[in-house]
Amino acid sequence: CIRETVSRVRIPLPPPLISSRHRDRLRAAADPLLQTWPPEIDIAEVIGKTPTRYYASVHAREFGFRINSTFPIDTYDLSEKFSTFGMKWTREKIEWTFNGKTVAEYDTPSDLHQPMYLLVNLAVGGLWGGIPDDPSVFPADFLIDYIRVYDIER
């Protein structure tokens, strides 16, 4: 089975959320209520203070060890216009796309051979994004034009 997700989004402008992070991600758990981590596939994570770079990541456990592979992807200012982020996930490989072009690939870890649920959110603060600065303005809008998820049989 091949799973694919495509989302067209526009992140908040950096000035309102200087040190925030914005996250469009998939996360797996045997039971979503258990909130186990890893595994997780991040389709796109953007740190508000650097809107010209986003990160595609996979977090997994293989052979008892935690694996974190993150791919930084440089681009135009993501707050200026809508962008399309995609991910194709097969039993063999994960492929990330940006505006229809492949930007990263990774062999699928064995603990990602399970159902995933989709989480789309605008997260503020945290260890990676930091505490919002004084110029941060709330509320902020994470604009989503569409999210499409496909389950494609071979």
Side-chain angles (χ1 to χ4, degrees):
C1 172
I2 300 169
R3 296 163 194 91
E4 185 171 9
T5 181
V6 178
S7 55
R8 186 170 183 265
V9 302
R10 182 175 176 186
I11 67 166
L13 293 171
L17 293 169
I18 303 259
S19 294
S20 65
R21 70 178 184 203
H22 320 97
R23 190 181 254 196
D24 178 7
R25 70 179 184 182
L26 286 173
R27 186 171 183 203
D31 177 347
L33 297 176
L34 296 177
Q35 297 292 311
T36 58
W37 188 88
E40 174 179 303
I41 304 170
D42 292 309
I43 300 168
E45 289 188 288
V46 180
I47 307 298
K49 62 187 171 190
T50 54
T52 58
R53 173 178 281 181
Y54 78 94
Y55 301 87
S57 305
V58 62
H59 307 281
R61 286 194 186 277
E62 287 269 75
F63 313 110
F65 297 96
R66 195 166 112 189
I67 300 166
N68 295 307
S69 292
T70 300
F71 306 95
I73 296 140
D74 291 320
T75 185
Y76 53 80
D77 185 335
L78 294 167
S79 68
E80 291 178 351
K81 60 183 177 180
F82 279 89
S83 303
T84 305
F85 299 91
M87 183 215 37
K88 186 183 280 185
W89 166 37
T90 69
R91 192 163 183 79
E92 296 79 31
K93 181 173 71 170
I94 302 166
E95 176 184 311
W96 291 265
T97 61
F98 178 69
N99 291 335
K101 295 182 181 166
T102 300
V103 293
E105 293 182 341
Y106 193 81
D107 291 340
T108 303
S110 61
D111 65 341
L112 288 170
H113 299 170
Q114 62 179 303
M116 304 277 275
Y117 65 94
L118 182 65
L119 172 64
V120 180
N121 71 334
L122 169 61
V124 178
L127 295 175
W128 197 8
I131 298 170
D133 297 338
D134 287 338
S136 297
V137 177
F138 297 99
D141 294 318
F142 180 24
L143 302 176
I144 301 171
D145 183 26
Y146 61 79
I147 298 173
R148 297 181 181 136
V149 178
Y150 305 94
D151 193 4
I152 306 165
E153 292 299 320
R154 292 182 183 215

